[in-house]
Amino acid sequence: MALIVQKYGGSSVADAEAMKRVAARVAETHEAGHRVVVVVSAMGDTTDDLLDTAAEITSHAPDREMDILLSAGERISMALLSMAVNALGVPAQAYTGAQAGIRTDSHYGRAQIVGMVPERIARAVRDGQVAIVAGFQGVSEHEDVTTLGRGGSDTTAVALAAALHADVCEIYTDVDGLFSADPRIVPKAHRLRTLTQEETLELAAHGAKILHLRAVEFARRYGVPLHVRSSFSEKNGTWISDSPANPELTGMVPAAALADSQEEPMEQPVVSGIAHDRSQDKITVTNIPNLPGKAARVFEICAEVGANIDMIVQNIPVTDPTRANITFTLPEGDAKRVLDALEAARDEIQFQDLRYNPNIGKLSLIGAGMRTNPGVSAKLFGALSEAGINIDLISTSEIRISVVTRLDDLDRAVAAVHTAFGLDATETEAVVYGGTGR
Ligand code: ASP
Ligand code: MG
């Protein structure tokens, strides 16, 4: 008997039919003798619809009221799913985030979990009930409803799995797991059978949209094994664990899945996957006096307006070493604030120009095997040059290389690099069942 946390995304509970299918799956897991905790997202596009309706009423909705509103989407799901499970003769009860003991700080819209006291959930499953928890929400110390940020139901699920010492946290979505690249760009992307938590963190942090970044951080910190899979098929998905052999040893992988895995090579590839990101912009501050403290001022100003800087490159022209150009990338939503704040500091910093380019894309190649294998950058740059794609900026970590290209070149770049690293599947494998990837 295992304790299993199952999280179902919005596309898996989009309508009554889908709810019933999920309920059957939950009931099946319960009847197999496991203790089951379910976390649900809002149905389909409910969260977006709620945001649109609020925007029709006011462009200045108070943050607190917005969180109460958005938390309603998940509450509808939890109640309906609980009814569907009960209708199958399996006892289930629904719980809000507050009832499930998810305590957060008061940062509405992006609350952080500060404590987990899931007593009622633990008691319910001990008593043989299925506990169904509304994702994406918690309660602040002032007893106000908070939400955890878009995609936050993943984090609810992993946090509950950690607090309840669950054997596995299953993340159900509408694709068969994590892929070596976005199947919408690379139809030959293949499903990743296993991935380390570190690789998953890099993928999620650099644009792969399948998992909430904080959920991955939680899973890593508390050693929660994740299994990302489709609620539309019985197929084995992607196991995320820092000891990839572990899920098989614990008997959590069904025999059929092990048979399927034998078709795949045993040796770990150097590169596991490619993430891409279209959501960043680039700013260059030109001709800054090349003096101590000037770069610090530029980034202090970025920090003061709350911008999250990603890549940074400084170059000093050979023709005039008294001056420097600093280029950096940042989320597109932060660009206007940074440009205005830097413009206001023009006389103080004494730069010449601000150049702004919103049309950039970032490709990130990720693989734990990079640590021990030379030649990865050479191969990456070779593949891009063969495809005639110019590289603008480069940054690296121990297990990642990211390059910035023109936005128009990004899709082609991802496909070319995917092929160059031998990641193409022999046949098209990726199926998006529900259509949203959530
Ligand atoms: N319903 C929320 C959203 O759409 C949370 C989630 O689905 O994880 O972002
Ligand atoms: Mg999601």
Side-chain angles (χ1 to χ4, degrees):
M1 187 180 70
L3 175 59
I4 301 178
V5 176
Q6 300 187 327
K7 181 260 172 176
Y8 291 93
S11 61
S12 298
V13 291
D15 53 29
E17 267 330 292
M19 282 281 179
K20 288 186 196 171
R21 208 187 43 241
V22 165
R25 198 160 192 141
V26 170
E28 204 179 286
T29 314
H30 180 264
E31 262 141 36
H34 301 303
R35 293 179 172 176
V36 191
V37 175
V38 179
V39 174
V40 267
S41 287
M43 298 167 73
D45 296 327
T46 303
T47 308
D48 290 323
D49 295 344
L50 291 171
L51 282 166
D52 291 347
T53 309
E56 282 171 30
I57 289 172
T58 170
S59 54
H60 292 92
D63 294 339
R64 178 185 176 280
E65 312 314 304
M66 194 57 119
D67 270 19
I68 291 204
L69 175 71
L70 294 187
S71 71
E74 270 68 13
R75 293 180 181 216
I76 293 171
S77 293
M78 73 170 188
L80 292 174
L81 183 61
S82 178
M83 290 174 196
V85 173
N86 277 290
L88 296 173
V90 172
Q93 277 192 345
Y95 302 88
T96 66
Q99 288 174 318
I102 298 165
R103 307 266 169 85
T104 73
D105 62 22
S106 293
H107 290 115
Y108 297 113
R110 55 187 168 90
Q112 303 260 8
I113 296 176
V114 295
M116 294 289 298
V117 274
E119 249 85 81
R120 291 190 70 179
I121 307 303
R123 211 178 325 130
V125 294
R126 214 183 305 122
D127 294 346
Q129 298 215 344
V130 172
I132 299 180
V133 180
F136 170 60
Q137 58 190 273
V139 63
S140 72
E141 58 176 327
H142 310 296
E143 303 208 344
D144 281 321
V145 176
T146 54
T147 66
L148 309 180
R150 297 306 305 268
S153 298
D154 292 345
T155 297
T156 304
V158 179
L160 275 171
L164 296 166
H165 304 289
D167 295 276
V168 61
C169 181
E170 298 182 330
I171 307 279
Y172 285 93
T173 174
D174 64 355
V175 288
D176 286 321
L178 294 173
F179 282 78
S180 51
D182 185 338
R184 278 165 295 203
I185 297 183
V186 185
K188 290 200 161 184
H190 70 272
R191 177 178 61 84
L192 301 168
R193 189 176 145 239
T194 59
L195 209 55
T196 66
Q197 285 164 342
E198 190 185 23
E199 287 171 315
T200 312
L201 208 51
E202 290 273 18
L203 281 167
H206 293 276
K209 296 223 170 50
I210 198 149
L211 279 173
H212 199 223
L213 183 57
R214 270 167 41 211
V216 185
E217 284 169 353
F218 249 101
R220 185 159 190 226
R221 185 155 1 118
Y222 297 101
V224 179
L226 302 179
H227 185 191
V228 180
R229 59 193 308 197
S230 168
S231 70
F232 295 78
S233 85
E234 292 294 329
K235 284 190 211 160
N236 195 35
T238 303
W239 282 91
I240 300 165
S241 162
D242 272 351
S243 45
N246 186 30
E248 293 168 16
L249 290 178
T250 58
M252 297 302 298
V253 180
L258 287 178
D260 143 85
S261 72
Q262 268 147 27
E263 294 156 23
E264 290 167 57
M266 287 310 289
E267 205 183 323
Q268 278 294 325
V270 177
V271 163
S272 297
I274 303 172
H276 72 276
D277 188 354
R278 300 179 205 284
S279 70
Q280 293 214 335
D281 289 354
K282 185 178 85 169
I283 292 174
T284 302
V285 191
T286 70
N287 274 324
I288 307 170
N290 189 8
L291 297 170
K294 291 290 181 184
R297 264 319 277 154
V298 169
F299 293 108
E300 273 162 21
I301 287 168
C302 295
E304 277 158 22
V305 296
N308 232 326
I309 305 301
D310 183 18
M311 293 184 177
I312 301 174
V313 173
Q314 167 171 278
N315 53 44
I316 294 153
V318 229
T319 47
D320 183 6
T322 67
R323 295 275 157 174
N325 299 324
I326 294 180
T327 300
F328 55 90
T329 64
L330 76 179
E332 53 198 1
D334 292 347
K336 171 119 191 20
R337 289 201 312 282
V338 165
L339 287 168
D340 289 346
L342 285 173
E343 194 52 62
R346 178 187 283 269
D347 290 343
E348 179 202 346
I349 302 176
Q350 294 177 307
F351 60 83
Q352 185 178 6
D353 268 327
L354 285 178
R355 291 197 195 133
Y356 171 53
N357 183 354
N359 297 316
I360 60 159
K362 186 173 81 171
L363 171 158
S364 299
L365 189 65
I366 287 145
M370 270 184 211
R371 265 199 194 98
T372 45
N373 284 275
V376 178
S377 336
K379 198 170 189 172
L380 169 65
F381 301 151
L384 291 171
S385 93
E386 226 164 87
I389 293 165
N390 206 31
I391 302 170
D392 193 352
L393 306 175
I394 303 166
S395 81
T396 62
S397 82
E398 270 200 308
I399 65 161
R400 173 184 54 83
I401 307 176
S402 299
V403 295
V404 165
T405 67
R406 285 179 35 200
L407 188 58
D408 292 347
D409 286 338
L410 184 63
D411 288 4
R412 235 159 31 85
V414 173
V417 173
H418 197 267
T419 304
F421 280 88
L423 297 174
D424 289 353
T426 37
E427 32 187 296
T428 306
E429 199 189 345
V431 189
V432 180
Y433 299 92
T436 65
R438 271 188 239 138

